Coordinates of all heavy atoms in Angstrom, one line a residue:
M1 N -23.9 56.4 135.2 CA -24.0 55.2 134.3 C -25.5 54.8 134.1 O -26.2 54.8 135.1 CB -23.3 54.1 135.0 CG -22.8 53.1 134.1 SD -21.3 52.2 134.4 CE -20.8 52.3 136.1
A2 N -25.9 54.7 132.9 CA -27.2 54.2 132.6 C -27.2 52.7 133.1 O -26.2 52.1 133.2 CB -27.6 54.3 131.2
L3 N -28.4 52.2 133.3 CA -28.6 50.8 133.6 C -29.0 50.0 132.3 O -29.4 50.6 131.3 CB -29.6 50.6 134.7 CG -29.4 51.4 136.0 CD1 -30.4 50.9 137.0 CD2 -28.0 51.2 136.5
I4 N -28.8 48.7 132.4 CA -29.2 47.9 131.2 C -30.0 46.7 131.7 O -29.7 46.1 132.8 CB -27.9 47.4 130.5 CG1 -28.3 46.7 129.2 CG2 -27.0 46.5 131.3 CD1 -27.1 46.6 128.2
I5 N -31.0 46.3 130.9 CA -31.8 45.1 131.3 C -31.2 43.9 130.5 O -31.0 43.9 129.3 CB -33.2 45.3 130.9 CG1 -33.9 46.4 131.7 CG2 -34.0 44.0 131.0 CD1 -35.3 46.8 131.3
T6 N -30.8 42.8 131.3 CA -30.2 41.7 130.7 C -31.2 40.7 130.2 O -32.4 40.8 130.5 CB -29.3 40.9 131.7 OG1 -30.1 40.3 132.7 CG2 -28.3 41.9 132.4
E7 N -30.7 39.6 129.5 CA -31.7 38.6 128.9 C -32.4 37.8 130.0 O -33.2 37.0 129.6 CB -30.9 37.8 127.9 CG -29.8 37.0 128.5 CD -28.9 36.3 127.5 OE1 -29.0 36.7 126.3 OE2 -28.1 35.5 127.8
E8 N -32.0 38.0 131.2 CA -32.7 37.2 132.3 C -34.1 37.8 132.5 O -34.9 37.3 133.3 CB -32.0 37.3 133.6 CG -30.8 36.3 133.6 CD -29.6 36.8 134.4 OE1 -29.7 37.0 135.6 OE2 -28.6 37.1 133.7
C9 N -34.4 39.0 131.9 CA -35.7 39.6 132.1 C -36.8 38.7 131.7 O -36.8 38.0 130.7 CB -35.8 40.8 131.2 SG -37.4 41.6 131.0
I10 N -37.9 38.6 132.6 CA -39.0 37.7 132.4 C -40.2 38.5 131.9 O -41.3 37.9 131.9 CB -39.3 36.9 133.7 CG1 -39.6 37.9 134.8 CG2 -38.2 35.9 134.0 CD1 -40.2 37.2 136.1
N11 N -40.0 39.7 131.4 CA -41.1 40.5 130.9 C -42.3 40.6 131.8 O -43.5 40.4 131.4 CB -41.6 40.0 129.5 CG -40.5 40.1 128.5 OD1 -39.7 41.0 128.5 ND2 -40.5 39.3 127.5
C12 N -42.0 40.9 133.1 CA -43.1 40.9 134.1 C -43.8 42.3 134.1 O -44.9 42.4 134.8 CB -42.5 40.6 135.5 SG -41.6 42.0 136.1
D13 N -43.3 43.2 133.4 CA -44.0 44.5 133.2 C -44.0 45.5 134.4 O -44.5 46.6 134.3 CB -45.5 44.4 132.8 CG -45.7 43.4 131.6 OD1 -44.9 43.4 130.7 OD2 -46.7 42.7 131.6
V14 N -43.3 45.1 135.5 CA -43.5 46.0 136.6 C -42.6 47.2 136.6 O -42.9 48.2 137.2 CB -43.3 45.3 138.0 CG1 -44.3 44.1 138.1 CG2 -41.9 44.8 138.2
C15 N -41.4 47.1 135.9 CA -40.5 48.2 136.0 C -40.9 49.4 135.1 O -40.7 50.6 135.4 CB -39.1 47.8 135.5 SG -39.0 47.0 133.9
E16 N -41.5 49.1 134.0 CA -41.8 50.1 133.0 C -42.6 51.3 133.5 O -42.2 52.5 133.4 CB -42.6 49.5 131.8 CG -42.7 50.4 130.6 CD -44.1 51.0 130.5 OE1 -45.1 50.4 131.0 OE2 -44.2 52.1 130.0
P17 N -43.7 51.1 134.3 CA -44.4 52.3 134.8 C -43.7 53.0 136.0 O -44.1 54.1 136.3 CB -45.7 51.7 135.3 CG -45.5 50.2 135.5 CD -44.4 49.9 134.5
E18 N -42.7 52.4 136.5 CA -42.0 53.0 137.7 C -40.9 54.0 137.2 O -40.4 54.8 138.0 CB -41.3 51.9 138.5 CG -42.2 50.9 139.1 CD -43.2 51.5 140.1 OE1 -42.8 52.5 140.8 OE2 -44.3 51.0 140.2
C19 N -40.5 53.9 136.0 CA -39.4 54.8 135.5 C -39.9 56.3 135.4 O -40.8 56.5 134.6 CB -38.8 54.3 134.2 SG -37.5 55.4 133.7
P20 N -39.2 57.2 136.2 CA -39.7 58.6 136.1 C -39.3 59.3 134.8 O -39.8 60.4 134.5 CB -38.9 59.2 137.3 CG -37.7 58.4 137.5 CD -38.1 57.0 137.1
N21 N -38.4 58.6 134.0 CA -38.0 59.3 132.8 C -38.5 58.6 131.5 O -38.2 59.0 130.4 CB -36.4 59.2 132.7 CG -35.8 60.0 133.8 OD1 -36.3 61.1 134.2 ND2 -34.7 59.5 134.4
G22 N -39.4 57.7 131.7 CA -39.9 57.0 130.5 C -38.9 56.3 129.7 O -39.0 56.1 128.5
A23 N -37.8 55.8 130.4 CA -36.6 55.2 129.7 C -36.8 53.8 129.4 O -36.1 53.2 128.6 CB -35.4 55.4 130.6
I24 N -37.9 53.1 130.0 CA -38.0 51.7 129.8 C -39.2 51.4 128.8 O -40.3 51.9 129.0 CB -38.3 51.0 131.1 CG1 -37.2 51.3 132.1 CG2 -38.5 49.5 130.9 CD1 -37.5 50.8 133.5
T25 N -38.9 50.6 127.8 CA -39.9 50.2 126.8 C -39.7 48.8 126.4 O -38.7 48.2 126.6 CB -39.8 51.1 125.5 OG1 -38.5 50.9 125.0 CG2 -40.1 52.5 125.7
M26 N -40.8 48.2 125.9 CA -40.7 46.8 125.4 C -39.9 46.8 124.2 O -40.2 47.5 123.2 CB -42.1 46.3 125.2 CG -42.2 44.8 124.9 SD -41.6 43.8 126.3 CE -41.3 42.2 125.4
G27 N -38.9 45.9 124.1 CA -38.1 45.8 122.9 C -38.6 44.6 122.1 O -39.8 44.2 122.2
D28 N -37.8 44.0 121.2 CA -38.2 42.9 120.4 C -38.6 41.7 121.2 O -39.5 41.0 120.9 CB -37.1 42.6 119.4 CG -37.0 43.6 118.3 OD1 -37.9 44.4 118.1 OD2 -35.9 43.7 117.7
E29 N -37.7 41.4 122.2 CA -38.0 40.2 123.1 C -38.1 40.5 124.5 O -38.9 39.9 125.2 CB -36.8 39.2 122.8 CG -36.9 38.6 121.4 CD -35.7 37.7 121.2 OE1 -35.0 37.3 122.1 OE2 -35.6 37.2 120.0
I30 N -37.4 41.5 125.0 CA -37.4 41.8 126.4 C -37.5 43.3 126.6 O -37.3 44.1 125.6 CB -36.2 41.3 127.2 CG1 -34.9 41.8 126.6 CG2 -36.2 39.8 127.4 CD1 -33.7 41.5 127.4
Y31 N -37.7 43.8 127.8 CA -37.7 45.2 128.0 C -36.3 45.8 127.8 O -35.3 45.1 128.0 CB -38.2 45.5 129.4 CG -39.7 45.6 129.5 CD1 -40.5 44.4 129.7 CD2 -40.4 46.8 129.3 CE1 -41.9 44.4 129.7 CE2 -41.8 46.8 129.3 CZ -42.5 45.6 129.5 OH -43.9 45.7 129.5
E32 N -36.3 47.1 127.4 CA -35.0 47.8 127.2 C -35.0 49.1 127.9 O -36.1 49.7 128.1 CB -34.8 48.0 125.7 CG -34.7 46.7 124.9 CD -34.7 47.0 123.3 OE1 -35.0 48.1 122.9 OE2 -34.4 46.0 122.6
I33 N -33.8 49.6 128.2 CA -33.6 50.9 128.8 C -32.9 51.8 127.7 O -31.9 51.4 127.2 CB -32.8 50.9 130.1 CG1 -33.6 50.1 131.1 CG2 -32.4 52.3 130.5 CD1 -32.8 49.9 132.4
D34 N -33.5 53.0 127.5 CA -32.8 54.0 126.6 C -31.7 54.7 127.4 O -32.1 55.4 128.3 CB -33.8 55.0 126.1 CG -33.2 56.0 125.1 OD1 -32.0 56.1 125.1 OD2 -34.0 56.6 124.3
P35 N -30.4 54.5 127.1 CA -29.4 55.1 127.9 C -29.4 56.6 127.9 O -28.9 57.3 128.8 CB -28.1 54.5 127.3 CG -28.5 54.0 126.0 CD -29.9 53.7 126.0
D36 N -30.0 57.2 126.9 CA -30.1 58.7 126.8 C -31.2 59.2 127.8 O -31.2 60.4 128.1 CB -30.5 59.1 125.4 CG -29.4 58.8 124.4 OD1 -28.2 58.8 124.8 OD2 -29.7 58.7 123.2
L37 N -32.0 58.3 128.3 CA -33.1 58.8 129.2 C -32.9 58.3 130.6 O -33.4 58.9 131.6 CB -34.5 58.3 128.7 CG -34.9 58.8 127.4 CD1 -36.3 58.2 127.0 CD2 -35.0 60.3 127.3
C38 N -32.0 57.3 130.8 CA -31.8 56.8 132.2 C -30.8 57.6 133.0 O -29.7 57.8 132.5 CB -31.3 55.3 132.1 SG -30.9 54.6 133.7
T39 N -31.2 58.1 134.1 CA -30.3 58.9 135.0 C -30.0 58.1 136.3 O -29.6 58.6 137.2 CB -31.0 60.2 135.4 OG1 -32.2 59.9 136.2 CG2 -31.4 61.1 134.3
E40 N -30.3 56.8 136.2 CA -30.2 56.0 137.5 C -31.1 56.5 138.5 O -30.9 56.3 139.7 CB -28.7 55.9 138.0 CG -27.8 55.0 137.3 CD -26.4 54.9 138.0 OE1 -26.4 54.8 139.2 OE2 -25.4 55.0 137.3
C41 N -32.1 57.2 138.1 CA -33.1 57.8 138.9 C -32.6 59.0 139.7 O -33.3 59.6 140.5 CB -33.8 56.9 139.9 SG -35.0 55.8 139.0
I42 N -31.4 59.4 139.4 CA -30.8 60.6 140.1 C -31.7 61.8 139.7 O -32.1 62.0 138.6 CB -29.3 60.8 139.7 CG1 -28.5 59.9 140.5 CG2 -28.9 62.3 139.8 CD1 -27.0 59.9 140.2
G43 N -32.0 62.6 140.7 CA -32.8 63.8 140.5 C -34.3 63.5 140.9 O -35.0 64.4 141.4
H44 N -34.7 62.2 140.8 CA -36.0 61.8 141.2 C -36.1 61.0 142.5 O -36.9 61.3 143.4 CB -36.6 61.0 140.1 CG -36.9 61.7 138.8 ND1 -38.0 62.5 138.6 CD2 -36.2 61.7 137.6 CE1 -38.0 63.0 137.4 NE2 -36.9 62.5 136.8
Y45 N -35.2 60.0 142.6 CA -35.2 59.1 143.7 C -33.8 58.8 144.2 O -32.9 58.9 143.4 CB -35.9 57.8 143.4 CG -37.3 57.9 142.9 CD1 -37.6 57.8 141.5 CD2 -38.4 58.2 143.8 CE1 -38.9 58.0 141.1 CE2 -39.7 58.3 143.3 CZ -40.0 58.2 142.0 OH -41.3 58.3 141.5
G46 N -33.7 58.3 145.4 CA -32.4 57.9 146.0 C -31.9 56.6 145.4 O -30.7 56.3 145.4
E47 N -32.8 55.8 144.9 CA -32.4 54.4 144.4 C -33.1 54.2 143.1 O -34.2 54.7 142.8 CB -32.9 53.3 145.3 CG -32.3 53.3 146.7 CD -30.8 53.1 146.7 OE1 -30.3 52.3 145.9 OE2 -30.1 53.7 147.6
P48 N -32.4 53.5 142.2 CA -33.0 53.2 140.9 C -34.3 52.4 141.1 O -34.3 51.3 141.7 CB -32.0 52.3 140.2 CG -30.7 52.6 140.8 CD -31.0 53.0 142.2
Q49 N -35.4 53.0 140.6 CA -36.7 52.4 140.9 C -36.9 51.1 140.2 O -37.6 50.1 140.7 CB -37.8 53.4 140.5 CG -37.8 54.7 141.3 CD -38.0 54.4 142.8 OE1 -39.1 54.1 143.3 NE2 -36.9 54.5 143.6
C50 N -36.4 50.9 139.0 CA -36.5 49.7 138.3 C -35.8 48.5 139.0 O -36.4 47.4 139.1 CB -36.0 49.8 136.9 SG -34.3 50.4 136.7
V51 N -34.7 48.8 139.6 CA -33.9 47.8 140.3 C -34.7 47.4 141.6 O -34.7 46.2 142.0 CB -32.5 48.3 140.7 CG1 -31.8 47.3 141.6 CG2 -31.7 48.6 139.4
E52 N -35.3 48.4 142.2 CA -36.1 48.1 143.4 C -37.2 47.1 143.2 O -37.5 46.3 144.1 CB -36.7 49.5 144.0 CG -35.7 50.5 144.4 CD -35.3 50.3 145.9 OE1 -36.2 50.6 146.7 OE2 -34.2 49.9 146.1
V53 N -37.9 47.2 142.0 CA -39.0 46.4 141.8 C -38.8 45.1 141.0 O -39.6 44.2 141.0 CB -40.2 47.2 141.1 CG1 -40.6 48.4 141.9 CG2 -39.7 47.6 139.7
C54 N -37.6 45.0 140.4 CA -37.4 43.9 139.5 C -37.3 42.6 140.3 O -36.4 42.5 141.2 CB -36.1 44.1 138.7 SG -35.8 42.7 137.6
P55 N -38.1 41.6 140.0 CA -38.1 40.4 140.8 C -37.0 39.4 140.5 O -36.7 38.5 141.3 CB -39.5 39.7 140.5 CG -39.8 40.2 139.1 CD -39.2 41.6 139.0
V56 N -36.3 39.6 139.4 CA -35.2 38.7 139.0 C -33.8 39.4 139.0 O -32.9 38.7 138.6 CB -35.5 38.0 137.7 CG1 -36.7 37.1 137.8 CG2 -35.6 39.0 136.6
D57 N -33.8 40.6 139.5 CA -32.5 41.3 139.7 C -31.7 41.3 138.4 O -30.5 40.9 138.4 CB -31.8 40.6 140.8 CG -30.7 41.5 141.4 OD1 -30.7 42.7 141.2 OD2 -29.8 41.0 142.1
C58 N -32.3 41.7 137.3 CA -31.6 41.6 136.0 C -31.3 43.0 135.4 O -31.2 43.2 134.2 CB -32.4 40.8 135.0 SG -33.9 41.6 134.5
I59 N -31.1 44.0 136.3 CA -30.8 45.4 135.8 C -29.5 45.9 136.4 O -29.6 46.8 137.3 CB -32.0 46.3 136.1 CG1 -33.4 45.6 135.8 CG2 -31.9 47.6 135.2 CD1 -34.6 46.5 136.1
P60 N -28.4 45.5 135.9 CA -27.1 46.0 136.3 C -26.8 47.4 135.7 O -27.5 47.8 134.8 CB -26.1 45.0 135.9 CG -26.7 44.4 134.7 CD -28.2 44.5 134.8
K61 N -25.7 48.0 136.1 CA -25.1 49.1 135.4 C -24.6 48.7 134.1 O -24.1 47.6 133.9 CB -24.0 49.8 136.3 CG -24.6 50.4 137.6 CD -23.6 51.2 138.3 CE -24.2 51.8 139.5 NZ -23.5 52.9 140.1
D62 N -24.7 49.6 133.1 CA -24.3 49.3 131.7 C -22.9 49.8 131.6 O -22.6 51.0 131.5 CB -25.2 50.1 130.7 CG -24.9 49.7 129.3 OD1 -23.8 49.1 129.1 OD2 -25.7 50.1 128.4
P63 N -21.9 48.9 131.5 CA -20.5 49.3 131.4 C -20.2 50.1 130.1 O -19.2 50.8 130.1 CB -19.7 48.0 131.4 CG -20.7 47.0 131.0 CD -22.0 47.4 131.4
D64 N -21.1 50.1 129.1 CA -20.9 50.8 127.9 C -21.4 52.3 128.0 O -21.2 53.1 127.1 CB -21.6 50.2 126.7 CG -20.9 48.9 126.3 OD1 -19.7 48.7 126.6 OD2 -21.5 48.0 125.7
H65 N -22.0 52.6 129.1 CA -22.5 53.9 129.3 C -22.1 54.5 130.7 O -23.0 54.7 131.6 CB -24.1 54.0 129.2 CG -24.5 53.7 127.8 ND1 -24.9 52.5 127.3 CD2 -24.6 54.6 126.7 CE1 -25.2 52.6 126.0 NE2 -25.0 53.9 125.6
E66 N -20.8 54.6 130.9 CA -20.3 55.1 132.2 C -20.5 56.6 132.3 O -20.2 57.3 131.3 CB -18.8 54.8 132.3 CG -18.6 53.4 132.7 CD -17.2 53.2 133.3 OE1 -16.8 54.1 134.1 OE2 -16.5 52.2 133.0
E67 N -21.1 57.0 133.4 CA -21.4 58.5 133.6 C -21.2 58.7 135.1 O -21.6 57.9 135.9 CB -22.8 58.9 133.2 CG -23.1 58.8 131.7 CD -24.5 58.6 131.4 OE1 -25.1 57.5 131.8 OE2 -25.1 59.5 130.9
S68 N -20.6 59.9 135.4 CA -20.5 60.3 136.8 C -21.8 60.7 137.3 O -22.8 61.0 136.6 CB -19.5 61.5 136.9 OG -20.1 62.6 136.3
E69 N -21.9 60.9 138.6 CA -23.2 61.4 139.2 C -23.5 62.8 138.7 O -24.6 63.1 138.5 CB -23.0 61.4 140.8 CG -24.3 61.2 141.5 CD -24.1 60.8 142.9 OE1 -23.5 59.7 143.2 OE2 -24.4 61.6 143.8
E70 N -22.4 63.6 138.5 CA -22.6 64.9 138.0 C -23.2 64.9 136.6 O -24.1 65.6 136.3 CB -21.3 65.7 138.0 CG -20.7 66.1 139.3 CD -20.1 64.9 140.1 OE1 -19.7 63.9 139.4 OE2 -20.1 64.9 141.3
A71 N -22.7 64.0 135.8 CA -23.2 63.9 134.4 C -24.7 63.4 134.4 O -25.5 63.9 133.6 CB -22.4 62.9 133.6
L72 N -25.0 62.5 135.3 CA -26.4 62.1 135.4 C -27.3 63.2 135.9 O -28.4 63.3 135.4 CB -26.5 60.9 136.4 CG -25.8 59.6 135.9 CD1 -25.7 58.6 137.0 CD2 -26.6 59.0 134.7
M73 N -26.8 64.0 136.8 CA -27.6 65.2 137.2 C -27.8 66.2 136.1 O -28.9 66.7 135.9 CB -26.9 65.9 138.4 CG -27.7 67.0 139.0 SD -29.4 66.5 139.5 CE -29.1 65.9 141.2
V74 N -26.8 66.4 135.2 CA -27.0 67.3 134.1 C -28.0 66.7 133.1 O -28.8 67.4 132.6 CB -25.6 67.4 133.4 CG1 -25.8 68.1 132.0 CG2 -24.6 68.3 134.2
K75 N -27.9 65.4 132.9 CA -28.9 64.7 132.1 C -30.3 64.9 132.6 O -31.3 65.2 131.9 CB -28.6 63.2 132.0 CG -29.3 62.5 130.9 CD -29.2 61.0 131.0 CE -27.9 60.4 130.7 NZ -28.0 58.9 130.6
Y76 N -30.5 64.7 133.9 CA -31.8 64.9 134.6 C -32.3 66.3 134.3 O -33.4 66.5 134.0 CB -31.6 64.6 136.1 CG -32.7 65.2 136.9 CD1 -34.0 64.6 137.0 CD2 -32.5 66.4 137.7 CE1 -35.0 65.2 137.7 CE2 -33.5 67.0 138.4 CZ -34.7 66.4 138.5 OH -35.7 66.9 139.2
E77 N -31.4 67.3 134.5 CA -31.8 68.7 134.3 C -32.2 68.9 132.9 O -33.2 69.6 132.6 CB -30.7 69.7 134.8 CG -30.7 69.7 136.3 CD -29.4 70.3 136.9 OE1 -28.5 70.8 136.1 OE2 -29.3 70.4 138.1
K78 N -31.5 68.4 131.9 CA -31.9 68.5 130.5 C -33.2 67.9 130.2 O -34.1 68.4 129.5 CB -30.8 67.9 129.6 CG -29.6 68.7 129.4 CD -28.8 68.3 128.2 CE -27.5 69.0 128.1 NZ -26.4 68.1 127.8
L79 N -33.4 66.7 130.8 CA -34.7 66.0 130.6 C -35.9 66.7 131.2 O -37.0 66.7 130.6 CB -34.6 64.6 131.2 CG -33.7 63.6 130.4 CD1 -33.5 62.3 131.2 CD2 -34.3 63.2 129.1
T80 N -35.7 67.3 132.3 CA -36.8 68.0 133.0 C -37.1 69.4 132.5 O -38.2 69.9 132.6 CB -36.6 67.9 134.5 OG1 -35.3 68.4 134.9 CG2 -36.8 66.6 135.1
N81 N -36.0 70.0 132.0 CA -36.2 71.4 131.6 C -36.5 71.5 130.1 O -37.0 72.5 129.6 CB -34.9 72.3 131.9 CG -34.8 72.4 133.4 OD1 -35.7 72.4 134.1 ND2 -33.5 72.6 133.8
G82 N -36.0 70.4 129.4 CA -36.1 70.5 127.9 C -37.5 70.1 127.4 O -37.8 70.3 126.3
Ligands
SF4_101 FE1 -35.6 54.5 134.7 FE2 -34.5 54.9 137.0 FE3 -34.4 52.5 136.0 FE4 -33.0 54.4 134.8 S1 -32.7 53.6 136.9 S2 -34.3 53.0 133.8 S3 -34.2 56.2 135.2 S4 -36.2 53.6 136.7
SF4_102 FE1 -37.9 42.5 133.1 FE2 -37.1 43.1 135.6 FE3 -38.5 44.8 134.2 FE4 -39.7 42.6 135.0 S1 -38.9 44.3 136.3 S2 -39.8 43.5 133.0 S3 -38.0 41.2 134.9 S4 -36.4 44.1 133.8

């Protein structure tokens, strides 16, 4: 499952440089996660790095992008090999 940044985001900028997949960018008003790039950090880290650093805990799983751990690993392999 990709993660999603909710409107509670305070634009503190700390998550963006932590993402190993470059999935986090500034959107129109708050930061956004590209679900095609987010692997929940699988393949890189044991825990989602953005969630680890977010001071307001506003990065839940995105129910519209449900993926198994296997699917996330396939995504990781595509991102790193492609
Ligand atoms: Fe990036 Fe990992 Fe956060 Fe997904 S969970 S947006 S891959 S830092
Ligand atoms: Fe927003 Fe959290 Fe990222 Fe800060 S760490 S920019 S509050 S999502």
Side-chain angles (χ1 to χ4, degrees):
M1 207 149 14
L3 304 189
I4 188 166
I5 294 174
T6 71
E7 60 192 15
E8 284 145 65
C9 171
I10 55 168
N11 293 334
C12 72
D13 307 324
V14 302
C15 58
E16 189 260 333
E18 299 298 328
C19 180
N21 295 323
I24 303 174
T25 53
M26 187 65 197
D28 288 340
E29 291 180 7
I30 55 171
Y31 276 86
E32 297 174 345
I33 292 175
D34 182 341
D36 293 333
L37 297 179
C38 176
T39 64
E40 284 187 44
C41 283
I42 280 176
H44 292 282
Y45 301 104
E47 298 294 329
Q49 297 300 287
C50 54
V51 174
E52 295 271 292
V53 299
C54 180
V56 294
D57 200 16
C58 69
I59 318 179
K61 293 191 179 198
D62 183 351
D64 290 337
H65 290 96
E66 281 204 41
E67 292 155 295
S68 66
E69 209 162 296
E70 289 75 25
L72 290 167
M73 185 54 88
V74 168
K75 194 196 283 190
Y76 160 76
E77 282 164 3
K78 278 197 190 136
L79 289 170
T80 48
N81 295 332

